[in-house]
Amino acid sequence: MDEDGLFPCGQCPKRFTTQRGWKQHQNYKHRPAADTPRFPTPNFRTPSPAPLSGPSSPIFSSRRSPRRRQNGSPVRLTWAAAPLELQRYGTQVTEHPILDGTPCDIYGDDLPEDTPPPALEPRDPEDYTPFGSADEFELAELLYERVQMSASNIDRLSQLIANLLGPDKDAPFLNHEELYKTIDRIKQGDIQWDSFTVKYNGELPDDLSTAPAWKLQEYEVWFRDPLSILEGMLANPSFKNELDVAPKRLVKNGKRLYRDLMTGNWAWFECDKISEDENTHGAMFAPVILGSDKTTVSVATGQNDYYPLYISLGNVHSSVRRAHRNAVALLGFLAIPKTSKDYAGSAEFRKFRRQLFHTSLEHVLSSLKPFMEKPRVTRCPDGHYRRVIYGLGPYIADYPEQALLACIVQNWCPRCTARPENLDRPAGRRSHEHTDTVSEGCSLKEVWDNYGIVADLKPFTAGFPRADIHELLAPDLLHQLVKGTFKDHLVDWVVEYINLTYDKSEAERRLADIDRRIMVTTPFPGLRHFHEGRGFKQWTGADSKGLMKASSFVFLPAIAGHVPVQMVQAVSDFLEFCYLVRRNVIDEDNLDAIDAAIARFHQNREIFRETGVRPDGFSPLPRQHSMVHYRHLIQQFGAPNGLCSSITESKHIKAVKRPWRRSSRNQPLGQMLVTNQRLDKLTAYRVDLECQCMLDPVKDRSNLPPPPPPPPPQEEDDEDTEESGDSDEPYSQGDVKLSTKAARGVPRDINTLAAYINQPTLPILLRQFLYTQQHLANGPQGCNVPLASCPELERNQKVFLHNSAKATFFAPSDMSGLGGMRHERIRSTTSWRRGPARYDCVFMEGDQQEDGFGGLLVGRVFAFLRFTHEGRRYPCALIHWFSTVGNTPCEQTGLWRVVPDFDRNGDPVLEVVHLDCLYRGAHLIGVTGSRFIPDKDFTSANSLDMYQGFYVNKYVDYHAHEIAF
């Protein structure tokens, strides 16, 4: 160890903070070729009823993590440390020099720099009109929005409250009618619904009775003023720190970063166009994001289809839009023309349906058009006024909707001119100008056949400034990649290959084994598990969302050994592409990696052509073809995860499905409109009260008796705690904490506890752990320390066992809080939910100078412990170490492989490490190869004991992909 307390390599300039990191580096970089480890032939060990135990003498020690300083204390970064961009990514930020969102007064005149925003209109702190108090509002919000209580139950509850209060006090609401009327009187968020009707205006026969019904019917479209909705979003003070007033370019180490919409090239170029008019200088550009998608609320009670149209403000950060924090609003319900089967396929009806769609959109958005060239003074979240210019931005839609929007023929690409029989050849980009040019001098049929254009129809964007629908179609991760390429293409092709290659009985045997491999995958937070298998070859739409999360990364190692290597590599290349484009921040290196993944995928997918699965090639597959456009779209619109159709599909639940369930089902649309309006009012009212600091829990409680003292802490096993989810904790790279309470009914005495968890060497390991903690300056020692040098445990030393720990880490690419933080539960318990034991695996810090998985260690947690020694509290974990195989990932799957460490006696290599050494959970999948999994005595609960080697699953979530590459 050198004078800085680091371990020098001795063969290269690198130095390491841990001895295990030094050892791992030696194995990776300097192992003689003859000693290169071979990955063991996959086989199965007899599972043990409890973790293996016995004396161990590990030669490694890992006691430090990225969150520990030189003195061993944890590092916690805070938001106040630096500006938001520099703090998160260490970037240089350049804003648009002309349309920079300069604050102005209410007359549109620019304010001097550093002028504070105008004060809010004063409000009586006791005025909760139309409610009598904060409690009354929160009760209304609870009943109507959160619980969604029925009218009859509200009446019953109101009666019970009145009886409890007695005749001398008034109940908050007499019945549901008074509750609804009170909500209707809220002024905040009061944007009324409007409607218009559309009717076929072409030629009709003299005898109207012979005309198709669709030609005579009036189609009603309901909508709200988009200008009012967007101004409400702009004025929302909760968006103050999550909104960009100007396009910006993020640069790190000389390379561009793409994140939110305003960091892409499109917003910058739009401002360049707008700035040609000097009257717009200093204005704020506000992109308008739209999305539409048909949804069915009930099939059992009839085909109840609705066509919601959503709107969002492009200035709002993607994390806010994904978190559904009022950044996506219901704009309207489009009409769905229907007819009998006799006319459904007619060209006349299809043309009318397209015209109805585009005409409706143009009319609904008409209030925005004047302010797409002339600024409108609008209040912004920081309280300042700015001159705002709107512009149509990305449109979120799946492929059929994109074809409708772009006025193209099905199976053609809405973005480029590639022909459907050869979509992946180089081709030019579509545009309104291109459509006008090819339409001149050609018949409608020629344009249809040769260019895939529906030339007798104009896209709605043709009527708005600077708008071209071919440029504005957003990438769609859900339908293009998840449901399209993965589920409908790759999974089906693999199944078809097995059925073509083997006879029926052998094919069914292999498909069943793939299903079993998926079934025995170890549990992990947020992972849907199929204990009885699922028959993946019969996956349906109802399963696709959960199965994509569970099966995309499980499917990859599950098919290895049953299909050719090149086929496994094709799936691996596709998954790599998916996880790269799903990142919250994408840099230029990622863009190059995306291009490389596409190239490898296109090369390796040829195996499906060669084996007869796709003898005619890979066209027309427009969803799969869309992958070639992702680089350009990322450069234009930022990271795609802020524009995915999963955002609008999630909005269906709140805006369509739940309001429909609350309706009487008799002409429900009108009731659904009222429900949405009331929900928006409650939301806007809450934002207003919070801005005025009028929801302080202390208010209006002065006459209440003091709350009872909290009950004494009780032991719990944490089985009912949330497995994973977003977190609002302050920013940090990572933090792991033990569960709040220790396990119940567990011995506290160290020797008794060691016997209870079947780890007789625990007292020795704890003493060696104490020595390491007390001699941090001497470098890691761990289990190499002679026992005579280790401190003695206190007499009657009490050690508390915890069944879990909570890891919180910065994972903005996954579903996370506004600060990008996410949490997950790591389990280590002798019985999980009254079933078998569960001992999860974790990532730990290894070689800090190595990128990706090369800088990580993997271990399995056999116990979470807490004890106090000489007045100092020690949270720690008993770890069974795993070693990495080779210095590169598996060529087939692209996944790293590890094997559990055992000493010469066959006992597991164990060590107690400080909890700060843990980073987050790790998911391991057994390497099966060409062998079949036994039908019996092999489950997800014991698979970590049955396999000899494991894949490190970097696809378990997007954060894992970012750190374990």
Side-chain angles (χ1 to χ4, degrees), residues 272-290:
D272 287 344
K273 297 176 186 177
I274 296 170
S275 64
E276 294 175 2
D277 180 358
E278 293 185 358
N279 294 323
T280 64
H281 290 191
M284 170 183 169
F285 176 54
V288 180
I289 298 175
L290 299 169

Side-chain angles (χ1 to χ4, degrees), residues 45-63:
R45 296 198 311 272
T46 303
S48 304
L52 298 174
S53 61
S56 59
S57 54
I59 59 174
F60 309 127
S61 176
S62 176
R63 60 179 176 83

